[in-house]
Amino acid sequence: MATYIARRLLWVPVLLVMVSFITFALGRFGPGDPVQILLGQNFREDAYERIRKQQGLDDNIAVQYARYVGNALRGDFGESYQYRGRSVTALLKNKIWISAQLNFAALLISITLGIAAGLFAALKQGSWWDSAMVAFTLVGQSMHVFLTIPIALLIFSLKLQWLPTHGWDGFFSTSIILPALVLGIPGVAIVTRLTRASTLDVIGQDYIRTARAKGLPERLVRVRHILRNSLIPVVTTLGFSLAGLASGSFIVELYFGIPGVGLLTIESLFSRDYPIIMAVTLLGTTLFVLANLIVDLVYPVLDPRIRLGGDYVAG
Amino acid sequence: MQGEAQRLQLPNTEHRGHSYFYLSLRRLSRKKLAMTCLVIIVIMYGSGVFAPLVAPHGYNDQDLSIVKERPSLTHPLGTDRLGRDMLSRVMYSLRTTVIITVTSLVTGALIIGVSLGLIAGYFGKLADGIIMRVGEVTSAFPDIFLVLIIVATVKPRILQWVRGFEDATGIDWIIRLGIVDYTVISLALAAFSWFGMARLVRGQVLQARENQYVEAARAMGSSTGRILGRHLLPNVISPVIVSVSAGLGAVAGAEVVLSWLGIGIQPPTPSLGVMIFENGNISVLRSDPHLTLVPSSVLVLLLFTFSLLGDGLNDAFNPRAR
């Protein structure tokens, strides 16, 4: 077990180096000249040459990459091309906070609505409520934000005029409701399905019958015995979905004009802002790889039939 | 055993030795929901493939006298801001979906994924190590980020080369027909989807290669290619079929996202992503919501049917895996 974890952890930096090199090389291969973008209308031949030299863009790509990694290790991800004079670290810090708030709100919606709906469906097993919930979990998982966004906007912003169509005013405002809702809907479906399945599993257990037999009020049976036990697999699975959630949010950020990481990334991709693209890729990859690692480590705890180690290191 | 089989499901005694594949297909054919999804998918893919024949109008036929019309008999799904028929545009967009999903899945998942999975699983050691490590690097990129970077950086370069080639040779249809877009996006999506398949096949092969029939084939002097193709491949194929259905939905969705961002399929070539983008702003939504809802609904219907079909296939091909 310890060897396995050590091997997996040692593999993480190797992955990061390869991923960053691929991104770096692709960035240099791509079209457009960042210095031209940087200068914009103030383009002058001598200024162009000077800045190219200053940024070290004339050096060999391996040299440039080595310099980048050296700086990155010291926490310096360079300076943004499009936002002049602002360090990537400072820019990202702000954006990450906004995206984190949005994703947290979406997760909150997924958890509360999903657990409530799943529990309800399981307790009313066989009724039309249950069937409706099952149908919802099937449809909800395929609900692409491209459909839920226009529908939500139509109903809540245009017809009822309750919520703003776009913008961002922080966590405690009306502008977060729609984006968080559309981002959370597929999660609601997943959590509902999980909760329903695990609750049905728990309901059939002997200790539930015992609790009822000893005369415990139904409310206490549900809260203390059913709910508590059925949530164990749900909560553990939820932790895993955090990483997946974050990557899906860029469409929502673009649609609603929320100045988060997603919007920044797409902006940078179009304006060839390599330092930001690199930093976002590295950040995303690190989170993603670590999340996968945690999932792989936690699964055997949940399901002892899965053995760790084996003959290869799983991605 | 045989008597039981006869009593249960085989009135026709002449067909006794049914293959696992045949039985699975028959199990599938009895699932109403999955079959309905299959029919919907066939209709959608069919209307995409035969778009030039079945579409009532051309995808780019503009008629500025009938812009933003509500659905009517001549235009069942209405017209967009340039008076183009929405139904025809959806059909041609589905053609894009067909091209992208089929090419990227055939190249990425089926050819690259399955053959590398077979190689990694059967030979093990060095080949396995290299293939799995490379796969882990490509799958370490979060979500479709790798595709995003590849398309954004590589496509303009290739367009530049092709333009040079067109100028030099006098051929003018490569870019106009969107071939560059299709190729780059399919290949980028293939780079994104091959590893899941390779890992799946590898896992299956690791189990299957210990079977005695493989040993027997080897003992009889079968070549490696024959063992892989005739003995191992047929035995690992059913999870492949299940995962293809799930993969088709993911690839279709990714193409729509790329085109919506403006780095995928370029107008005038129609794509659901382009249509969602063109009709996606708030003023269109306020005045003519059907323009936004039509392409989005088609996308969701596509994803939904693929996911249900995948569930059905899974039940049919792995009946005991519940």
Side-chain angles (χ1 to χ4, degrees), chain A residues 96-109 168 170-171 175-184 245 249-250 252-254 256 258 260:
Chain A
I96 288 173
W97 176 230
I98 292 177
S99 289
Q101 285 176 315
L102 174 63
N103 283 300
F104 178 72
L107 196 67
L108 213 61
I109 290 176
W168 176 259
F171 191 77
S175 60
I176 198 177
I177 299 177
L178 279 188
L181 191 69
V182 292
L183 201 55
L245 194 75
S249 68
F250 71 86
V252 175
E253 288 183 10
L254 251 70
F256 286 97
I258 297 169

PDB file of all heavy atoms in Angstrom, chain A residues 96-109 168 170-171 175-184 245 249-250 252-254 256 258 260:
ATOM      1  N   ILE A  96      -9.899  32.498  -9.536  1.00  0.00           N
ATOM      2  CA  ILE A  96     -10.148  31.201  -8.919  1.00  0.00           C
ATOM      3  C   ILE A  96     -11.176  31.349  -7.805  1.00  0.00           C
ATOM      4  O   ILE A  96     -12.082  30.529  -7.650  1.00  0.00           O
ATOM      5  CB  ILE A  96      -8.844  30.594  -8.367  1.00  0.00           C
ATOM      6  CG1 ILE A  96      -7.961  30.141  -9.514  1.00  0.00           C
ATOM      7  CG2 ILE A  96      -9.127  29.407  -7.458  1.00  0.00           C
ATOM      8  CD1 ILE A  96      -6.594  29.696  -9.092  1.00  0.00           C
ATOM      9  N   TRP A  97     -11.073  32.418  -7.050  1.00  0.00           N
ATOM     10  CA  TRP A  97     -11.998  32.660  -5.960  1.00  0.00           C
ATOM     11  C   TRP A  97     -13.432  32.766  -6.492  1.00  0.00           C
ATOM     12  O   TRP A  97     -14.347  32.154  -5.953  1.00  0.00           O
ATOM     13  CB  TRP A  97     -11.567  33.920  -5.205  1.00  0.00           C
ATOM     14  CG  TRP A  97     -12.481  34.356  -4.104  1.00  0.00           C
ATOM     15  CD1 TRP A  97     -12.975  35.609  -3.906  1.00  0.00           C
ATOM     16  CD2 TRP A  97     -12.996  33.563  -3.032  1.00  0.00           C
ATOM     17  NE1 TRP A  97     -13.776  35.636  -2.804  1.00  0.00           N
ATOM     18  CE2 TRP A  97     -13.805  34.395  -2.242  1.00  0.00           C
ATOM     19  CE3 TRP A  97     -12.865  32.215  -2.678  1.00  0.00           C
ATOM     20  CZ2 TRP A  97     -14.485  33.951  -1.117  1.00  0.00           C
ATOM     21  CZ3 TRP A  97     -13.538  31.755  -1.547  1.00  0.00           C
ATOM     22  CH2 TRP A  97     -14.330  32.617  -0.786  1.00  0.00           C
ATOM     23  N   ILE A  98     -13.589  33.487  -7.600  1.00  0.00           N
ATOM     24  CA  ILE A  98     -14.928  33.626  -8.180  1.00  0.00           C
ATOM     25  C   ILE A  98     -15.457  32.275  -8.664  1.00  0.00           C
ATOM     26  O   ILE A  98     -16.585  31.873  -8.355  1.00  0.00           O
ATOM     27  CB  ILE A  98     -14.903  34.644  -9.342  1.00  0.00           C
ATOM     28  CG1 ILE A  98     -14.640  36.043  -8.784  1.00  0.00           C
ATOM     29  CG2 ILE A  98     -16.198  34.619 -10.126  1.00  0.00           C
ATOM     30  CD1 ILE A  98     -14.515  37.108  -9.834  1.00  0.00           C
ATOM     31  N   SER A  99     -14.626  31.540  -9.417  1.00  0.00           N
ATOM     32  CA  SER A  99     -15.067  30.233  -9.920  1.00  0.00           C
ATOM     33  C   SER A  99     -15.371  29.281  -8.781  1.00  0.00           C
ATOM     34  O   SER A  99     -16.316  28.487  -8.861  1.00  0.00           O
ATOM     35  CB  SER A  99     -13.990  29.624 -10.810  1.00  0.00           C
ATOM     36  OG  SER A  99     -13.915  30.315 -12.013  1.00  0.00           O
ATOM     37  N   ALA A 100     -14.567  29.366  -7.724  1.00  0.00           N
ATOM     38  CA  ALA A 100     -14.792  28.469  -6.584  1.00  0.00           C
ATOM     39  C   ALA A 100     -16.138  28.755  -5.948  1.00  0.00           C
ATOM     40  O   ALA A 100     -16.880  27.829  -5.602  1.00  0.00           O
ATOM     41  CB  ALA A 100     -13.677  28.630  -5.566  1.00  0.00           C
ATOM     42  N   GLN A 101     -16.481  30.024  -5.827  1.00  0.00           N
ATOM     43  CA  GLN A 101     -17.779  30.375  -5.248  1.00  0.00           C
ATOM     44  C   GLN A 101     -18.914  29.814  -6.090  1.00  0.00           C
ATOM     45  O   GLN A 101     -19.869  29.230  -5.570  1.00  0.00           O
ATOM     46  CB  GLN A 101     -17.923  31.898  -5.161  1.00  0.00           C
ATOM     47  CG  GLN A 101     -17.111  32.509  -4.053  1.00  0.00           C
ATOM     48  CD  GLN A 101     -17.204  34.019  -4.082  1.00  0.00           C
ATOM     49  OE1 GLN A 101     -17.105  34.628  -5.137  1.00  0.00           O
ATOM     50  NE2 GLN A 101     -17.397  34.624  -2.932  1.00  0.00           N
ATOM     51  N   LEU A 102     -18.788  29.997  -7.420  1.00  0.00           N
ATOM     52  CA  LEU A 102     -19.833  29.511  -8.324  1.00  0.00           C
ATOM     53  C   LEU A 102     -19.991  27.999  -8.205  1.00  0.00           C
ATOM     54  O   LEU A 102     -21.100  27.473  -8.067  1.00  0.00           O
ATOM     55  CB  LEU A 102     -19.484  29.899  -9.765  1.00  0.00           C
ATOM     56  CG  LEU A 102     -20.400  29.346 -10.843  1.00  0.00           C
ATOM     57  CD1 LEU A 102     -21.793  29.882 -10.682  1.00  0.00           C
ATOM     58  CD2 LEU A 102     -19.864  29.701 -12.224  1.00  0.00           C
ATOM     59  N   ASN A 103     -18.860  27.296  -8.219  1.00  0.00           N
ATOM     60  CA  ASN A 103     -18.925  25.845  -8.153  1.00  0.00           C
ATOM     61  C   ASN A 103     -19.433  25.364  -6.802  1.00  0.00           C
ATOM     62  O   ASN A 103     -20.124  24.353  -6.713  1.00  0.00           O
ATOM     63  CB  ASN A 103     -17.556  25.237  -8.450  1.00  0.00           C
ATOM     64  CG  ASN A 103     -17.263  25.258  -9.929  1.00  0.00           C
ATOM     65  OD1 ASN A 103     -17.983  24.681 -10.705  1.00  0.00           O
ATOM     66  ND2 ASN A 103     -16.228  25.970 -10.326  1.00  0.00           N
ATOM     67  N   PHE A 104     -19.069  26.101  -5.771  1.00  0.00           N
ATOM     68  CA  PHE A 104     -19.553  25.727  -4.444  1.00  0.00           C
ATOM     69  C   PHE A 104     -21.080  25.850  -4.391  1.00  0.00           C
ATOM     70  O   PHE A 104     -21.768  24.959  -3.881  1.00  0.00           O
ATOM     71  CB  PHE A 104     -18.905  26.608  -3.376  1.00  0.00           C
ATOM     72  CG  PHE A 104     -19.394  26.327  -1.998  1.00  0.00           C
ATOM     73  CD1 PHE A 104     -19.035  25.166  -1.345  1.00  0.00           C
ATOM     74  CD2 PHE A 104     -20.229  27.223  -1.348  1.00  0.00           C
ATOM     75  CE1 PHE A 104     -19.498  24.900  -0.068  1.00  0.00           C
ATOM     76  CE2 PHE A 104     -20.698  26.960  -0.071  1.00  0.00           C
ATOM     77  CZ  PHE A 104     -20.333  25.790   0.567  1.00  0.00           C
ATOM     78  N   ALA A 105     -21.587  26.940  -4.945  1.00  0.00           N
ATOM     79  CA  ALA A 105     -23.040  27.131  -4.955  1.00  0.00           C
ATOM     80  C   ALA A 105     -23.722  26.004  -5.737  1.00  0.00           C
ATOM     81  O   ALA A 105     -24.747  25.466  -5.307  1.00  0.00           O
ATOM     82  CB  ALA A 105     -23.383  28.486  -5.571  1.00  0.00           C
ATOM     83  N   ALA A 106     -23.126  25.644  -6.881  1.00  0.00           N
ATOM     84  CA  ALA A 106     -23.699  24.569  -7.693  1.00  0.00           C
ATOM     85  C   ALA A 106     -23.698  23.255  -6.920  1.00  0.00           C
ATOM     86  O   ALA A 106     -24.667  22.496  -6.940  1.00  0.00           O
ATOM     87  CB  ALA A 106     -22.918  24.416  -8.991  1.00  0.00           C
ATOM     88  N   LEU A 107     -22.606  23.012  -6.227  1.00  0.00           N
ATOM     89  CA  LEU A 107     -22.485  21.773  -5.455  1.00  0.00           C
ATOM     90  C   LEU A 107     -23.522  21.742  -4.340  1.00  0.00           C
ATOM     91  O   LEU A 107     -24.140  20.705  -4.065  1.00  0.00           O
ATOM     92  CB  LEU A 107     -21.080  21.678  -4.870  1.00  0.00           C
ATOM     93  CG  LEU A 107     -20.669  20.305  -4.374  1.00  0.00           C
ATOM     94  CD1 LEU A 107     -20.551  19.355  -5.540  1.00  0.00           C
ATOM     95  CD2 LEU A 107     -19.369  20.372  -3.618  1.00  0.00           C
ATOM     96  N   LEU A 108     -23.715  22.896  -3.710  1.00  0.00           N
ATOM     97  CA  LEU A 108     -24.707  23.008  -2.637  1.00  0.00           C
ATOM     98  C   LEU A 108     -26.088  22.633  -3.167  1.00  0.00           C
ATOM     99  O   LEU A 108     -26.831  21.880  -2.534  1.00  0.00           O
ATOM    100  CB  LEU A 108     -24.708  24.449  -2.127  1.00  0.00           C
ATOM    101  CG  LEU A 108     -25.002  24.660  -0.652  1.00  0.00           C
ATOM    102  CD1 LEU A 108     -23.951  23.955   0.180  1.00  0.00           C
ATOM    103  CD2 LEU A 108     -25.011  26.146  -0.346  1.00  0.00           C
ATOM    104  N   ILE A 109     -26.410  23.156  -4.355  1.00  0.00           N
ATOM    105  CA  ILE A 109     -27.711  22.836  -4.962  1.00  0.00           C
ATOM    106  C   ILE A 109     -27.803  21.344  -5.255  1.00  0.00           C
ATOM    107  O   ILE A 109     -28.800  20.690  -4.934  1.00  0.00           O
ATOM    108  CB  ILE A 109     -27.905  23.659  -6.257  1.00  0.00           C
ATOM    109  CG1 ILE A 109     -28.106  25.128  -5.888  1.00  0.00           C
ATOM    110  CG2 ILE A 109     -29.091  23.142  -7.056  1.00  0.00           C
ATOM    111  CD1 ILE A 109     -28.207  26.038  -7.073  1.00  0.00           C
ATOM    112  N   TRP A 168     -22.052  39.411 -12.379  1.00  0.00           N
ATOM    113  CA  TRP A 168     -21.525  38.770 -11.176  1.00  0.00           C
ATOM    114  C   TRP A 168     -21.408  39.792 -10.072  1.00  0.00           C
ATOM    115  O   TRP A 168     -20.731  40.809 -10.239  1.00  0.00           O
ATOM    116  CB  TRP A 168     -20.159  38.151 -11.469  1.00  0.00           C
ATOM    117  CG  TRP A 168     -19.514  37.569 -10.254  1.00  0.00           C
ATOM    118  CD1 TRP A 168     -18.520  38.132  -9.502  1.00  0.00           C
ATOM    119  CD2 TRP A 168     -19.818  36.329  -9.633  1.00  0.00           C
ATOM    120  NE1 TRP A 168     -18.192  37.320  -8.462  1.00  0.00           N
ATOM    121  CE2 TRP A 168     -18.979  36.194  -8.517  1.00  0.00           C
ATOM    122  CE3 TRP A 168     -20.740  35.309  -9.922  1.00  0.00           C
ATOM    123  CZ2 TRP A 168     -19.026  35.089  -7.680  1.00  0.00           C
ATOM    124  CZ3 TRP A 168     -20.770  34.215  -9.082  1.00  0.00           C
ATOM    125  CH2 TRP A 168     -19.921  34.101  -7.977  1.00  0.00           C
ATOM    126  N   GLY A 170     -20.874  38.674  -6.662  1.00  0.00           N
ATOM    127  CA  GLY A 170     -20.476  37.966  -5.456  1.00  0.00           C
ATOM    128  C   GLY A 170     -21.451  36.864  -5.092  1.00  0.00           C
ATOM    129  O   GLY A 170     -22.463  36.645  -5.765  1.00  0.00           O
ATOM    130  N   PHE A 171     -21.101  36.165  -4.019  1.00  0.00           N
ATOM    131  CA  PHE A 171     -21.828  34.960  -3.645  1.00  0.00           C
ATOM    132  C   PHE A 171     -23.253  35.276  -3.190  1.00  0.00           C
ATOM    133  O   PHE A 171     -24.197  34.595  -3.552  1.00  0.00           O
ATOM    134  CB  PHE A 171     -21.072  34.242  -2.528  1.00  0.00           C
ATOM    135  CG  PHE A 171     -21.579  32.871  -2.243  1.00  0.00           C
ATOM    136  CD1 PHE A 171     -21.254  31.826  -3.091  1.00  0.00           C
ATOM    137  CD2 PHE A 171     -22.380  32.624  -1.150  1.00  0.00           C
ATOM    138  CE1 PHE A 171     -21.723  30.556  -2.832  1.00  0.00           C
ATOM    139  CE2 PHE A 171     -22.850  31.351  -0.889  1.00  0.00           C
ATOM    140  CZ  PHE A 171     -22.518  30.318  -1.735  1.00  0.00           C
ATOM    141  N   SER A 175     -27.527  37.286  -8.781  1.00  0.00           N
ATOM    142  CA  SER A 175     -26.907  36.925 -10.057  1.00  0.00           C
ATOM    143  C   SER A 175     -26.252  35.555 -10.024  1.00  0.00           C
ATOM    144  O   SER A 175     -25.908  35.008 -11.064  1.00  0.00           O
ATOM    145  CB  SER A 175     -25.881  37.978 -10.471  1.00  0.00           C
ATOM    146  OG  SER A 175     -24.877  38.078  -9.492  1.00  0.00           O
ATOM    147  N   ILE A 176     -26.066  34.977  -8.843  1.00  0.00           N
ATOM    148  CA  ILE A 176     -25.405  33.665  -8.788  1.00  0.00           C
ATOM    149  C   ILE A 176     -26.418  32.533  -8.953  1.00  0.00           C
ATOM    150  O   ILE A 176     -26.056  31.409  -9.307  1.00  0.00           O
ATOM    151  CB  ILE A 176     -24.636  33.500  -7.456  1.00  0.00           C
ATOM    152  CG1 ILE A 176     -23.612  32.370  -7.584  1.00  0.00           C
ATOM    153  CG2 ILE A 176     -25.587  33.218  -6.309  1.00  0.00           C
ATOM    154  CD1 ILE A 176     -22.767  32.187  -6.347  1.00  0.00           C
ATOM    155  N   ILE A 177     -27.711  32.829  -8.769  1.00  0.00           N
ATOM    156  CA  ILE A 177     -28.708  31.754  -8.683  1.00  0.00           C
ATOM    157  C   ILE A 177     -28.806  30.951  -9.980  1.00  0.00           C
ATOM    158  O   ILE A 177     -28.656  29.726  -9.979  1.00  0.00           O
ATOM    159  CB  ILE A 177     -30.092  32.322  -8.305  1.00  0.00           C
ATOM    160  CG1 ILE A 177     -29.996  32.993  -6.937  1.00  0.00           C
ATOM    161  CG2 ILE A 177     -31.137  31.222  -8.285  1.00  0.00           C
ATOM    162  CD1 ILE A 177     -31.262  33.657  -6.492  1.00  0.00           C
ATOM    163  N   LEU A 178     -29.018  31.655 -11.115  1.00  0.00           N
ATOM    164  CA  LEU A 178     -29.196  30.929 -12.374  1.00  0.00           C
ATOM    165  C   LEU A 178     -27.955  30.131 -12.780  1.00  0.00           C
ATOM    166  O   LEU A 178     -28.073  28.942 -13.077  1.00  0.00           O
ATOM    167  CB  LEU A 178     -29.608  31.887 -13.489  1.00  0.00           C
ATOM    168  CG  LEU A 178     -31.085  32.275 -13.545  1.00  0.00           C
ATOM    169  CD1 LEU A 178     -31.369  33.056 -14.811  1.00  0.00           C
ATOM    170  CD2 LEU A 178     -31.969  31.055 -13.479  1.00  0.00           C
ATOM    171  N   PRO A 179     -26.773  30.755 -12.802  1.00  0.00           N
ATOM    172  CA  PRO A 179     -25.596  29.966 -13.190  1.00  0.00           C
ATOM    173  C   PRO A 179     -25.397  28.748 -12.293  1.00  0.00           C
ATOM    174  O   PRO A 179     -25.124  27.646 -12.790  1.00  0.00           O
ATOM    175  CB  PRO A 179     -24.426  30.942 -13.023  1.00  0.00           C
ATOM    176  CG  PRO A 179     -25.005  32.279 -12.919  1.00  0.00           C
ATOM    177  CD  PRO A 179     -26.437  32.157 -12.582  1.00  0.00           C
ATOM    178  N   ALA A 180     -25.547  28.932 -10.990  1.00  0.00           N
ATOM    179  CA  ALA A 180     -25.348  27.807 -10.078  1.00  0.00           C
ATOM    180  C   ALA A 180     -26.399  26.738 -10.321  1.00  0.00           C
ATOM    181  O   ALA A 180     -26.099  25.544 -10.289  1.00  0.00           O
ATOM    182  CB  ALA A 180     -25.411  28.289  -8.639  1.00  0.00           C
ATOM    183  N   LEU A 181     -27.608  27.162 -10.618  1.00  0.00           N
ATOM    184  CA  LEU A 181     -28.690  26.202 -10.854  1.00  0.00           C
ATOM    185  C   LEU A 181     -28.398  25.338 -12.085  1.00  0.00           C
ATOM    186  O   LEU A 181     -28.427  24.110 -12.018  1.00  0.00           O
ATOM    187  CB  LEU A 181     -30.013  26.954 -11.031  1.00  0.00           C
ATOM    188  CG  LEU A 181     -31.269  26.107 -11.029  1.00  0.00           C
ATOM    189  CD1 LEU A 181     -31.514  25.531  -9.647  1.00  0.00           C
ATOM    190  CD2 LEU A 181     -32.472  26.932 -11.463  1.00  0.00           C
ATOM    191  N   VAL A 182     -28.094  25.987 -13.215  1.00  0.00           N
ATOM    192  CA  VAL A 182     -27.866  25.194 -14.429  1.00  0.00           C
ATOM    193  C   VAL A 182     -26.625  24.317 -14.289  1.00  0.00           C
ATOM    194  O   VAL A 182     -26.579  23.204 -14.792  1.00  0.00           O
ATOM    195  CB  VAL A 182     -27.740  26.066 -15.701  1.00  0.00           C
ATOM    196  CG1 VAL A 182     -29.061  26.710 -16.023  1.00  0.00           C
ATOM    197  CG2 VAL A 182     -26.664  27.095 -15.580  1.00  0.00           C
ATOM    198  N   LEU A 183     -25.638  24.827 -13.558  1.00  0.00           N
ATOM    199  CA  LEU A 183     -24.423  24.040 -13.363  1.00  0.00           C
ATOM    200  C   LEU A 183     -24.710  22.853 -12.446  1.00  0.00           C
ATOM    201  O   LEU A 183     -24.086  21.795 -12.565  1.00  0.00           O
ATOM    202  CB  LEU A 183     -23.339  24.935 -12.748  1.00  0.00           C
ATOM    203  CG  LEU A 183     -21.898  24.515 -12.906  1.00  0.00           C
ATOM    204  CD1 LEU A 183     -21.573  24.323 -14.362  1.00  0.00           C
ATOM    205  CD2 LEU A 183     -20.991  25.583 -12.313  1.00  0.00           C
ATOM    206  N   GLY A 184     -25.675  23.041 -11.538  1.00  0.00           N
ATOM    207  CA  GLY A 184     -25.927  22.005 -10.545  1.00  0.00           C
ATOM    208  C   GLY A 184     -26.890  20.920 -10.991  1.00  0.00           C
ATOM    209  O   GLY A 184     -26.932  19.856 -10.385  1.00  0.00           O
ATOM    210  N   LEU A 245     -16.654  18.877 -11.722  1.00  0.00           N
ATOM    211  CA  LEU A 245     -17.562  20.012 -11.755  1.00  0.00           C
ATOM    212  C   LEU A 245     -16.846  21.267 -12.240  1.00  0.00           C
ATOM    213  O   LEU A 245     -17.335  22.000 -13.087  1.00  0.00           O
ATOM    214  CB  LEU A 245     -18.124  20.242 -10.350  1.00  0.00           C
ATOM    215  CG  LEU A 245     -19.325  21.145 -10.230  1.00  0.00           C
ATOM    216  CD1 LEU A 245     -20.553  20.425 -10.716  1.00  0.00           C
ATOM    217  CD2 LEU A 245     -19.505  21.581  -8.799  1.00  0.00           C
ATOM    218  N   SER A 249     -17.498  24.321 -15.911  1.00  0.00           N
ATOM    219  CA  SER A 249     -18.130  25.605 -15.634  1.00  0.00           C
ATOM    220  C   SER A 249     -17.790  26.691 -16.636  1.00  0.00           C
ATOM    221  O   SER A 249     -18.352  27.777 -16.569  1.00  0.00           O
ATOM    222  CB  SER A 249     -17.779  26.062 -14.229  1.00  0.00           C
ATOM    223  OG  SER A 249     -16.425  26.379 -14.145  1.00  0.00           O
ATOM    224  N   PHE A 250     -16.871  26.427 -17.577  1.00  0.00           N
ATOM    225  CA  PHE A 250     -16.466  27.550 -18.425  1.00  0.00           C
ATOM    226  C   PHE A 250     -17.571  28.003 -19.383  1.00  0.00           C
ATOM    227  O   PHE A 250     -17.668  29.181 -19.702  1.00  0.00           O
ATOM    228  CB  PHE A 250     -15.132  27.294 -19.140  1.00  0.00           C
ATOM    229  CG  PHE A 250     -15.167  26.280 -20.232  1.00  0.00           C
ATOM    230  CD1 PHE A 250     -15.518  26.646 -21.523  1.00  0.00           C
ATOM    231  CD2 PHE A 250     -14.818  24.975 -19.988  1.00  0.00           C
ATOM    232  CE1 PHE A 250     -15.527  25.710 -22.536  1.00  0.00           C
ATOM    233  CE2 PHE A 250     -14.833  24.039 -20.995  1.00  0.00           C
ATOM    234  CZ  PHE A 250     -15.192  24.411 -22.264  1.00  0.00           C
ATOM    235  N   VAL A 252     -20.766  27.997 -18.688  1.00  0.00           N
ATOM    236  CA  VAL A 252     -21.658  28.807 -17.868  1.00  0.00           C
ATOM    237  C   VAL A 252     -21.047  30.186 -17.620  1.00  0.00           C
ATOM    238  O   VAL A 252     -21.728  31.210 -17.715  1.00  0.00           O
ATOM    239  CB  VAL A 252     -21.949  28.074 -16.545  1.00  0.00           C
ATOM    240  CG1 VAL A 252     -22.777  28.929 -15.627  1.00  0.00           C
ATOM    241  CG2 VAL A 252     -22.653  26.767 -16.814  1.00  0.00           C
ATOM    242  N   GLU A 253     -19.748  30.219 -17.345  1.00  0.00           N
ATOM    243  CA  GLU A 253     -19.100  31.503 -17.105  1.00  0.00           C
ATOM    244  C   GLU A 253     -19.168  32.399 -18.344  1.00  0.00           C
ATOM    245  O   GLU A 253     -19.414  33.598 -18.257  1.00  0.00           O
ATOM    246  CB  GLU A 253     -17.642  31.297 -16.687  1.00  0.00           C
ATOM    247  CG  GLU A 253     -17.519  30.753 -15.285  1.00  0.00           C
ATOM    248  CD  GLU A 253     -16.084  30.620 -14.828  1.00  0.00           C
ATOM    249  OE1 GLU A 253     -15.186  31.124 -15.522  1.00  0.00           O
ATOM    250  OE2 GLU A 253     -15.864  29.993 -13.780  1.00  0.00           O
ATOM    251  N   LEU A 254     -18.970  31.782 -19.514  1.00  0.00           N
ATOM    252  CA  LEU A 254     -19.034  32.560 -20.754  1.00  0.00           C
ATOM    253  C   LEU A 254     -20.431  33.088 -21.009  1.00  0.00           C
ATOM    254  O   LEU A 254     -20.624  34.247 -21.372  1.00  0.00           O
ATOM    255  CB  LEU A 254     -18.594  31.689 -21.934  1.00  0.00           C
ATOM    256  CG  LEU A 254     -17.243  32.045 -22.541  1.00  0.00           C
ATOM    257  CD1 LEU A 254     -16.138  31.678 -21.592  1.00  0.00           C
ATOM    258  CD2 LEU A 254     -17.062  31.296 -23.852  1.00  0.00           C
ATOM    259  N   PHE A 256     -22.916  33.625 -18.923  1.00  0.00           N
ATOM    260  CA  PHE A 256     -23.417  34.615 -17.976  1.00  0.00           C
ATOM    261  C   PHE A 256     -22.424  35.758 -17.740  1.00  0.00           C
ATOM    262  O   PHE A 256     -22.674  36.623 -16.906  1.00  0.00           O
ATOM    263  CB  PHE A 256     -23.744  33.946 -16.642  1.00  0.00           C
ATOM    264  CG  PHE A 256     -24.997  33.123 -16.691  1.00  0.00           C
ATOM    265  CD1 PHE A 256     -24.935  31.759 -16.888  1.00  0.00           C
ATOM    266  CD2 PHE A 256     -26.236  33.717 -16.560  1.00  0.00           C
ATOM    267  CE1 PHE A 256     -26.089  31.004 -16.945  1.00  0.00           C
ATOM    268  CE2 PHE A 256     -27.396  32.970 -16.610  1.00  0.00           C
ATOM    269  CZ  PHE A 256     -27.320  31.604 -16.805  1.00  0.00           C
ATOM    270  N   ILE A 258     -19.485  35.706 -16.292  1.00  0.00           N
ATOM    271  CA  ILE A 258     -18.916  35.674 -14.940  1.00  0.00           C
ATOM    272  C   ILE A 258     -17.400  35.657 -15.065  1.00  0.00           C
ATOM    273  O   ILE A 258     -16.836  34.770 -15.705  1.00  0.00           O
ATOM    274  CB  ILE A 258     -19.402  34.427 -14.183  1.00  0.00           C
ATOM    275  CG1 ILE A 258     -20.911  34.498 -14.013  1.00  0.00           C
ATOM    276  CG2 ILE A 258     -18.711  34.311 -12.840  1.00  0.00           C
ATOM    277  CD1 ILE A 258     -21.520  33.224 -13.535  1.00  0.00           C
ATOM    278  N   GLY A 260     -14.660  34.445 -14.174  1.00  0.00           N
ATOM    279  CA  GLY A 260     -13.937  33.401 -13.463  1.00  0.00           C
ATOM    280  C   GLY A 260     -12.805  32.818 -14.289  1.00  0.00           C
ATOM    281  O   GLY A 260     -12.417  33.373 -15.317  1.00  0.00           O
TER     282      GLY A 260
END
